Amino acid sequence: MKALIETIVSALVDYPEEVIVTSKEESDRIVYILSIHKEDMGKVIGKQGRVAKAIRTVVYAAGSSQQKKIYLEISE
């Protein structure tokens, strides 16, 4: 899942080397934390959050086969 997120986001940003995905696993969910360069924040979020919503939709669909709920957080 980390590789999927990195592949999608790296294509969108100006600083692909600063795309870092970490994960926290809990009993009922997995939280992926996406860290990107400050200047790329607007590109990843998009107008009215449309790009971020699309990324989350793809990640949730890819993880639907797992028994845990998947969350994606975007941070600087």
Side-chain angles (χ1 to χ4, degrees), residues 6-22:
E6 288 174 353
T7 303
I8 293 170
V9 175
S10 294
L12 298 173
V13 298
D14 290 334
Y15 302 95
E17 65 278 355
E18 294 192 28
V19 174
I20 301 169
V21 180
T22 56

Side-chain angles (χ1 to χ4, degrees), residues 17-36:
E17 65 278 355
E18 294 192 28
V19 174
I20 301 169
V21 180
T22 56
S23 64
K24 291 191 298 187
E25 191 164 342
E26 298 174 8
S27 61
D28 60 338
R29 65 183 183 159
I30 302 171
V31 179
Y32 290 99
I33 302 163
L34 171 64
S35 299
I36 54 175

Side-chain angles (χ1 to χ4, degrees), residues 14 30 40-41 44:
D14 290 334
I30 302 171
D40 290 329
M41 189 61 80
V44 173

